[in-house]
Amino acid sequence: MEDSEENLNEAPAIPKLRKNRMESLGPALFAVTALLCSVGSFMAGGYLSLGREGIAELVEATTNNNLDATVKPTHEWIELEKTIYQLDRREDAKYVLAKFTIRAPIDKAEEVRRRLPELEFALQTYIRELSSRELQGAMGLYNLRNACLFRARRILGRDAVDDILIGELLVE
């Protein structure tokens, strides 16, 4: 009778086989979760880069087996000349060598090329007013790009400039 009372007070032992299954289930669930997250982020990145219209065109082209429709360029990259700017109008002034590239829709590219001197003058005026401290680090580059994009859209038109890239930026 004492043996039966002891058995009731003890917790039942988990068989080794069941414990091993639980231990191996954790990494498997992690791998499946990581796979689903990577597929989801890949699809979300595709949606963000192509947009709704781009995905519709891609689906239409693949259903019609017309892959040439996705190859047609919709934008043109227009490079501005490398320019040297003087920062900090002092005796110990620093110099900046910068090269910008503009992304414009194909139908607006000729108008953008025609008005490039205006944009170059505006960028020149803006960059010459900067201090060398404002160009330091990733935040400085980010602010420079946004300020140049703002000026480009203001001069050339909001629908004429989609993006502006800083191809080279060397600060003495």
Side-chain angles (χ1 to χ4, degrees):
M1 191 160 182
E2 290 180 10
D3 288 334
S4 62
E5 287 180 13
E6 286 179 14
N7 289 340
L8 292 175
N9 291 333
E10 291 180 9
I14 298 175
K16 292 255 183 195
L17 182 63
R18 185 178 280 174
K19 188 173 182 182
N20 287 339
R21 284 185 189 168
M22 286 181 172
E23 288 176 358
S24 65
L25 190 60
L29 282 175
F30 178 76
V32 168
T33 305
L35 177 70
L36 290 175
C37 288
S38 62
V39 169
S41 62
F42 176 75
M43 291 174 65
Y47 179 76
L48 291 175
S49 65
L50 292 175
R52 186 175 294 172
E53 295 83 17
I55 290 178
E57 288 176 15
L58 183 64
V59 168
E60 181 182 324
T62 55
T63 56
N64 295 341
N65 291 330
N66 183 9
L67 296 178
D68 291 337
T70 60
V71 179
K72 293 178 184 174
T74 58
H75 291 81
E76 191 171 328
W77 295 96
I78 302 168
E79 292 185 0
L80 277 68
E81 294 181 24
K82 288 183 186 178
T83 309
I84 297 175
Y85 306 98
Q86 179 181 356
L87 300 178
D88 301 332
R89 295 183 181 171
R90 298 178 303 190
E91 289 180 17
D92 59 338
K94 293 188 177 188
Y95 293 91
V96 173
L97 172 77
K99 181 178 179 183
F100 297 100
T101 305
I102 297 173
R103 181 178 181 222
I106 293 232
D107 57 336
K108 305 278 185 178
E110 198 56 43
E111 175 72 17
V112 169
R113 277 196 190 87
R114 191 175 60 74
R115 298 187 66 196
L116 276 182
E118 293 175 58
L119 177 62
E120 288 174 349
F121 179 74
L123 293 179
Q124 208 171 50
T125 305
Y126 169 70
I127 293 174
R128 284 189 174 152
E129 295 299 321
L130 290 175
S131 68
S132 58
R133 281 181 276 130
E134 291 175 310
L135 292 176
Q136 290 179 349
M139 197 64 188
L141 269 177
Y142 179 77
N143 290 336
L144 175 66
R145 182 194 159 276
N146 283 340
C148 291
L149 181 61
F150 172 77
R151 282 162 177 74
R153 284 182 172 166
R154 190 161 187 194
I155 291 170
L156 303 172
R158 185 155 187 77
D159 57 342
V161 177
D162 287 339
D163 202 0
I164 190 165
L165 303 178
I166 302 172
E168 295 179 29
L169 185 72
L170 301 172
V171 180
E172 178 194 341

Short mmCIF file of all heavy atoms in Angstrom, two decimals, residues 30-68:
data_model
loop_
_atom_site.label_atom_id
_atom_site.label_comp_id
_atom_site.label_asym_id
_atom_site.label_seq_id
_atom_site.Cartn_x
_atom_site.Cartn_y
_atom_site.Cartn_z
N PHE A 30 11.54 27.36 -35.98
CA PHE A 30 12.33 28.56 -36.26
C PHE A 30 12.68 28.62 -37.75
O PHE A 30 12.56 29.68 -38.37
CB PHE A 30 13.60 28.57 -35.42
CG PHE A 30 14.48 29.75 -35.70
CD1 PHE A 30 14.15 31.00 -35.21
CD2 PHE A 30 15.62 29.61 -36.48
CE1 PHE A 30 14.95 32.09 -35.48
CE2 PHE A 30 16.42 30.69 -36.75
CZ PHE A 30 16.09 31.94 -36.25
N ALA A 31 13.08 27.50 -38.33
CA ALA A 31 13.44 27.47 -39.75
C ALA A 31 12.23 27.78 -40.63
O ALA A 31 12.33 28.55 -41.59
CB ALA A 31 14.04 26.11 -40.12
N VAL A 32 11.08 27.23 -40.30
CA VAL A 32 9.87 27.48 -41.08
C VAL A 32 9.47 28.96 -40.96
O VAL A 32 9.11 29.61 -41.95
CB VAL A 32 8.73 26.55 -40.64
CG1 VAL A 32 7.39 26.97 -41.22
CG2 VAL A 32 9.04 25.12 -41.01
N THR A 33 9.55 29.51 -39.75
CA THR A 33 9.22 30.92 -39.54
C THR A 33 10.18 31.82 -40.31
O THR A 33 9.75 32.79 -40.95
CB THR A 33 9.26 31.26 -38.04
OG1 THR A 33 8.41 30.37 -37.33
CG2 THR A 33 8.85 32.69 -37.79
N ALA A 34 11.47 31.51 -40.27
CA ALA A 34 12.44 32.31 -41.01
C ALA A 34 12.18 32.24 -42.51
O ALA A 34 12.28 33.24 -43.22
CB ALA A 34 13.86 31.83 -40.69
N LEU A 35 11.85 31.07 -43.01
CA LEU A 35 11.54 30.91 -44.44
C LEU A 35 10.32 31.74 -44.83
O LEU A 35 10.34 32.45 -45.84
CB LEU A 35 11.32 29.43 -44.78
CG LEU A 35 10.93 29.14 -46.22
CD1 LEU A 35 12.13 29.40 -47.13
CD2 LEU A 35 10.43 27.74 -46.37
N LEU A 36 9.26 31.67 -44.04
CA LEU A 36 8.06 32.44 -44.34
C LEU A 36 8.32 33.94 -44.28
O LEU A 36 7.82 34.70 -45.11
CB LEU A 36 6.93 32.07 -43.38
CG LEU A 36 6.34 30.67 -43.58
CD1 LEU A 36 5.31 30.38 -42.49
CD2 LEU A 36 5.71 30.53 -44.94
N CYS A 37 9.12 34.38 -43.32
CA CYS A 37 9.46 35.81 -43.23
C CYS A 37 10.28 36.27 -44.43
O CYS A 37 10.05 37.35 -44.97
CB CYS A 37 10.22 36.10 -41.94
SG CYS A 37 9.19 36.01 -40.47
N SER A 38 11.23 35.44 -44.86
CA SER A 38 12.05 35.84 -46.00
C SER A 38 11.23 35.88 -47.29
O SER A 38 11.38 36.79 -48.10
CB SER A 38 13.25 34.92 -46.16
OG SER A 38 12.83 33.60 -46.42
N VAL A 39 10.33 34.93 -47.48
CA VAL A 39 9.47 34.95 -48.67
C VAL A 39 8.54 36.16 -48.62
O VAL A 39 8.35 36.85 -49.62
CB VAL A 39 8.66 33.63 -48.78
CG1 VAL A 39 7.57 33.73 -49.83
CG2 VAL A 39 9.60 32.48 -49.10
N GLY A 40 7.99 36.44 -47.46
CA GLY A 40 7.10 37.59 -47.32
C GLY A 40 7.82 38.91 -47.57
O GLY A 40 7.31 39.80 -48.25
N SER A 41 9.04 39.04 -47.05
CA SER A 41 9.78 40.28 -47.26
C SER A 41 10.21 40.42 -48.72
O SER A 41 10.23 41.51 -49.27
CB SER A 41 10.98 40.36 -46.34
OG SER A 41 11.88 39.30 -46.62
N PHE A 42 10.52 39.29 -49.37
CA PHE A 42 10.86 39.33 -50.80
C PHE A 42 9.67 39.82 -51.61
O PHE A 42 9.80 40.67 -52.49
CB PHE A 42 11.30 37.94 -51.27
CG PHE A 42 11.58 37.85 -52.73
CD1 PHE A 42 12.74 38.40 -53.25
CD2 PHE A 42 10.69 37.24 -53.59
CE1 PHE A 42 13.01 38.33 -54.60
CE2 PHE A 42 10.94 37.16 -54.93
CZ PHE A 42 12.10 37.70 -55.44
N MET A 43 8.49 39.30 -51.30
CA MET A 43 7.28 39.71 -52.03
C MET A 43 6.93 41.16 -51.72
O MET A 43 6.55 41.91 -52.62
CB MET A 43 6.13 38.78 -51.69
CG MET A 43 6.34 37.38 -52.24
SD MET A 43 5.08 36.21 -51.71
CE MET A 43 3.64 36.89 -52.49
N ALA A 44 7.07 41.58 -50.47
CA ALA A 44 6.78 42.97 -50.12
C ALA A 44 7.77 43.91 -50.79
O ALA A 44 7.39 44.99 -51.26
CB ALA A 44 6.82 43.14 -48.60
N GLY A 45 9.04 43.53 -50.85
CA GLY A 45 10.03 44.35 -51.54
C GLY A 45 9.73 44.49 -53.01
O GLY A 45 9.88 45.56 -53.60
N GLY A 46 9.28 43.40 -53.64
CA GLY A 46 8.89 43.46 -55.04
C GLY A 46 7.70 44.38 -55.24
O GLY A 46 7.66 45.16 -56.20
N TYR A 47 6.75 44.33 -54.33
CA TYR A 47 5.58 45.20 -54.45
C TYR A 47 5.98 46.66 -54.27
O TYR A 47 5.52 47.53 -55.01
CB TYR A 47 4.53 44.81 -53.41
CG TYR A 47 3.31 45.70 -53.46
CD1 TYR A 47 2.37 45.54 -54.47
CD2 TYR A 47 3.12 46.71 -52.55
CE1 TYR A 47 1.26 46.36 -54.54
CE2 TYR A 47 2.02 47.53 -52.61
CZ TYR A 47 1.09 47.35 -53.61
OH TYR A 47 0.00 48.17 -53.69
N LEU A 48 6.86 46.92 -53.30
CA LEU A 48 7.27 48.30 -53.06
C LEU A 48 8.09 48.86 -54.21
O LEU A 48 8.00 50.03 -54.54
CB LEU A 48 8.06 48.40 -51.76
CG LEU A 48 7.25 48.17 -50.48
CD1 LEU A 48 8.16 48.16 -49.27
CD2 LEU A 48 6.17 49.22 -50.32
N SER A 49 8.92 48.01 -54.84
CA SER A 49 9.77 48.53 -55.92
C SER A 49 9.00 48.65 -57.23
O SER A 49 9.23 49.57 -58.00
CB SER A 49 10.99 47.64 -56.11
OG SER A 49 10.60 46.35 -56.54
N LEU A 50 8.09 47.72 -57.51
CA LEU A 50 7.36 47.77 -58.77
C LEU A 50 6.07 48.59 -58.67
O LEU A 50 5.65 49.21 -59.64
CB LEU A 50 7.00 46.36 -59.23
CG LEU A 50 8.16 45.47 -59.65
CD1 LEU A 50 7.65 44.08 -59.97
CD2 LEU A 50 8.89 46.04 -60.84
N GLY A 51 5.45 48.56 -57.53
CA GLY A 51 4.18 49.25 -57.37
C GLY A 51 3.05 48.42 -57.95
O GLY A 51 3.25 47.37 -58.57
N ARG A 52 1.85 48.87 -57.76
CA ARG A 52 0.68 48.13 -58.23
C ARG A 52 0.66 48.02 -59.75
O ARG A 52 0.38 46.97 -60.31
CB ARG A 52 -0.58 48.83 -57.73
CG ARG A 52 -1.85 48.07 -58.04
CD ARG A 52 -3.05 48.72 -57.45
NE ARG A 52 -2.92 48.63 -55.99
CZ ARG A 52 -3.73 49.24 -55.14
NH1 ARG A 52 -4.71 49.97 -55.58
NH2 ARG A 52 -3.55 49.13 -53.86
N GLU A 53 1.00 49.12 -60.44
CA GLU A 53 0.98 49.10 -61.91
C GLU A 53 2.07 48.19 -62.45
O GLU A 53 1.86 47.46 -63.41
CB GLU A 53 1.16 50.51 -62.48
CG GLU A 53 0.03 51.46 -62.17
CD GLU A 53 0.17 52.10 -60.79
OE1 GLU A 53 1.28 52.06 -60.22
OE2 GLU A 53 -0.83 52.62 -60.27
N GLY A 54 3.25 48.22 -61.84
CA GLY A 54 4.35 47.38 -62.29
C GLY A 54 4.06 45.91 -62.13
O GLY A 54 4.38 45.10 -63.01
N ILE A 55 3.44 45.54 -61.02
CA ILE A 55 3.07 44.13 -60.82
C ILE A 55 2.00 43.72 -61.80
O ILE A 55 2.04 42.62 -62.36
CB ILE A 55 2.63 43.90 -59.36
CG1 ILE A 55 3.84 44.02 -58.45
CG2 ILE A 55 1.96 42.55 -59.20
CD1 ILE A 55 3.56 43.87 -57.00
N ALA A 56 1.03 44.60 -62.07
CA ALA A 56 -0.01 44.28 -63.05
C ALA A 56 0.61 44.07 -64.44
O ALA A 56 0.24 43.14 -65.17
CB ALA A 56 -1.05 45.39 -63.10
N GLU A 57 1.57 44.92 -64.83
CA GLU A 57 2.24 44.76 -66.12
C GLU A 57 3.03 43.46 -66.17
O GLU A 57 3.02 42.76 -67.18
CB GLU A 57 3.19 45.93 -66.38
CG GLU A 57 2.51 47.22 -66.70
CD GLU A 57 3.50 48.36 -66.86
OE1 GLU A 57 4.71 48.07 -67.01
OE2 GLU A 57 3.08 49.51 -66.85
N LEU A 58 3.71 43.12 -65.07
CA LEU A 58 4.49 41.90 -65.03
C LEU A 58 3.60 40.67 -65.14
O LEU A 58 3.91 39.74 -65.89
CB LEU A 58 5.31 41.85 -63.73
CG LEU A 58 6.24 40.67 -63.57
CD1 LEU A 58 7.32 40.72 -64.64
CD2 LEU A 58 6.87 40.67 -62.19
N VAL A 59 2.48 40.66 -64.42
CA VAL A 59 1.55 39.53 -64.50
C VAL A 59 0.95 39.42 -65.90
O VAL A 59 0.86 38.34 -66.47
CB VAL A 59 0.45 39.67 -63.43
CG1 VAL A 59 -0.68 38.69 -63.66
CG2 VAL A 59 1.04 39.50 -62.05
N GLU A 60 0.59 40.56 -66.48
CA GLU A 60 0.03 40.56 -67.83
C GLU A 60 1.04 40.05 -68.85
O GLU A 60 0.71 39.28 -69.75
CB GLU A 60 -0.41 41.98 -68.21
CG GLU A 60 -1.03 42.08 -69.58
CD GLU A 60 -1.41 43.52 -69.90
OE1 GLU A 60 -1.84 44.23 -68.98
OE2 GLU A 60 -1.26 43.90 -71.07
N ALA A 61 2.29 40.46 -68.71
CA ALA A 61 3.32 40.03 -69.65
C ALA A 61 3.60 38.55 -69.54
O ALA A 61 3.80 37.87 -70.55
CB ALA A 61 4.60 40.83 -69.42
N THR A 62 3.59 38.02 -68.30
CA THR A 62 3.86 36.59 -68.15
C THR A 62 2.67 35.75 -68.59
O THR A 62 2.87 34.65 -69.08
CB THR A 62 4.24 36.26 -66.70
OG1 THR A 62 3.21 36.72 -65.83
CG2 THR A 62 5.55 36.88 -66.33
N THR A 63 1.46 36.25 -68.45
CA THR A 63 0.31 35.47 -68.90
C THR A 63 0.20 35.48 -70.42
O THR A 63 -0.26 34.51 -71.01
CB THR A 63 -1.01 36.00 -68.30
OG1 THR A 63 -1.14 37.38 -68.62
CG2 THR A 63 -1.04 35.79 -66.81
N ASN A 64 0.64 36.56 -71.06
CA ASN A 64 0.60 36.64 -72.51
C ASN A 64 1.87 36.09 -73.15
O ASN A 64 2.01 36.10 -74.37
CB ASN A 64 0.42 38.09 -72.97
CG ASN A 64 -0.90 38.66 -72.55
OD1 ASN A 64 -1.83 37.92 -72.24
ND2 ASN A 64 -0.99 39.98 -72.52
N ASN A 65 2.81 35.63 -72.32
CA ASN A 65 4.12 35.15 -72.80
C ASN A 65 4.82 36.22 -73.62
O ASN A 65 5.53 35.93 -74.57
CB ASN A 65 3.99 33.86 -73.60
CG ASN A 65 3.58 32.71 -72.73
OD1 ASN A 65 3.92 32.68 -71.55
ND2 ASN A 65 2.86 31.76 -73.29
N ASN A 66 4.60 37.47 -73.26
CA ASN A 66 5.23 38.59 -73.94
C ASN A 66 6.22 39.24 -72.96
O ASN A 66 5.91 40.20 -72.30
CB ASN A 66 4.17 39.61 -74.38
CG ASN A 66 4.77 40.75 -75.16
OD1 ASN A 66 5.95 40.72 -75.50
ND2 ASN A 66 3.97 41.76 -75.42
N LEU A 67 7.40 38.66 -72.87
CA LEU A 67 8.38 39.15 -71.90
C LEU A 67 9.05 40.43 -72.36
O LEU A 67 9.68 41.11 -71.57
CB LEU A 67 9.42 38.07 -71.64
CG LEU A 67 8.86 36.80 -70.99
CD1 LEU A 67 9.97 35.78 -70.82
CD2 LEU A 67 8.22 37.11 -69.66
N ASP A 68 8.94 40.80 -73.64
CA ASP A 68 9.54 42.02 -74.12
C ASP A 68 8.84 43.26 -73.55
O ASP A 68 9.42 44.33 -73.51
CB ASP A 68 9.50 42.09 -75.65
CG ASP A 68 10.42 41.06 -76.26
OD1 ASP A 68 11.38 40.63 -75.57
OD2 ASP A 68 10.20 40.67 -77.42
#
